[in-house]
Amino acid sequence: MEEKQTPFQAAVRPGLTIGLVSVALTFLVYFIDSSLLVAGWFGLVALAIFFVLVIFFGRQYRAELGGFMTFGVAFNFSFITMVVAGLISIIGGILLYQVIDPALPSVLAEQSVENTLEMMESFGASADSMSAEQLDEMRNSISDGFSLMGQIKSFGFALIFYAILSLITAAILKKKDKSLDY
């Protein structure tokens, strides 16, 4: 009789896979056009890919368990998968922003400020409504997010997001064995 993996054991391989896909996608976009890394649509596409892969691997794990999975098991699997993927992504980000291209954070901060000003103008606000000090503060704040400590802090906030996303995926993945109802 084959021994079944715990949700923690089963989540490591999908987490590594999703993390590596995330890093590969980030590097691919970096090589194509680094300014796309701060584009809103890129973040949404990456999130959608992330979410779909977690569900895909979760369904595979549910099938391994005999086609049924409780909400708790599904949550644990999803959360651990996302944490492992997030750790791999953080390592890739640290390599990109600290080792490969240390000047990239300032370029991305400038691009992000430009994107913000364009969005403000599209809503009818004037770009001149922000002072030079406010723009510099915004630039520095965004640039600090790409630093080593900034990435570690963002991972801390990401854990909260992963928990919320895991609740959603667990609700999708759970499947109760009706034959056990009396």
Side-chain angles (χ1 to χ4, degrees):
M1 186 160 144
E2 188 177 316
E3 198 172 312
K4 293 182 181 173
Q5 295 180 342
T6 67
F8 299 102
Q9 294 168 330
V12 172
R13 183 170 291 172
L16 289 171
T17 303
I18 294 169
L20 291 173
V21 166
S22 173
V23 170
L25 184 62
T26 301
F27 276 84
L28 180 67
V29 169
Y30 167 71
F31 290 124
I32 292 172
D33 181 5
S34 63
S35 67
L36 295 176
L37 291 170
V38 291
W41 66 266
F42 173 71
L44 291 175
V45 167
L47 179 64
I49 291 170
F50 188 77
F51 188 69
V52 167
L53 286 174
V54 171
I55 290 174
F56 172 77
F57 287 118
R59 287 187 176 189
Q60 281 184 337
Y61 179 56
R62 184 176 70 193
E64 283 179 27
L65 294 176
F68 303 103
M69 187 182 330
T70 65
F71 182 84
V73 170
F75 175 80
N76 287 337
F77 174 83
S78 299
F79 187 69
I80 298 303
T81 299
M82 290 182 203
V83 169
V84 171
L87 287 171
I88 300 298
S89 295
I90 288 292
I91 292 169
I94 289 170
L95 282 173
L96 179 61
Y97 302 126
Q98 309 302 320
V99 178
I100 296 171
D101 193 351
L104 185 61
S106 60
V107 171
L108 294 179
E110 186 62 41
Q111 182 64 44
S112 187
V113 169
E114 287 177 24
N115 291 349
T116 302
L117 293 176
E118 287 175 13
M119 189 180 342
M120 286 174 56
E121 288 175 356
S122 72
F123 288 122
S126 172
D128 298 331
S129 64
M130 293 187 77
S131 68
E133 292 84 26
Q134 289 174 319
L135 289 173
D136 286 339
E137 185 178 323
M138 185 188 302
R139 240 180 242 107
N140 291 335
S141 171
I142 294 169
S143 192
D144 287 345
F146 292 107
S147 69
L148 180 61
M149 281 310 295
Q151 289 181 335
I152 291 171
K153 285 180 190 176
S154 71
F155 181 71
F157 290 115
L159 289 174
I160 296 167
F161 179 71
Y162 294 158
I164 293 167
L165 200 57
S166 292
L167 289 171
I168 295 167
T169 57
I172 293 169
L173 293 173
K174 72 174 172 65
K175 188 172 182 183
K176 187 176 181 181
D177 187 355
K178 304 271 188 208
S179 68
L180 298 177
D181 290 341
Y182 292 100

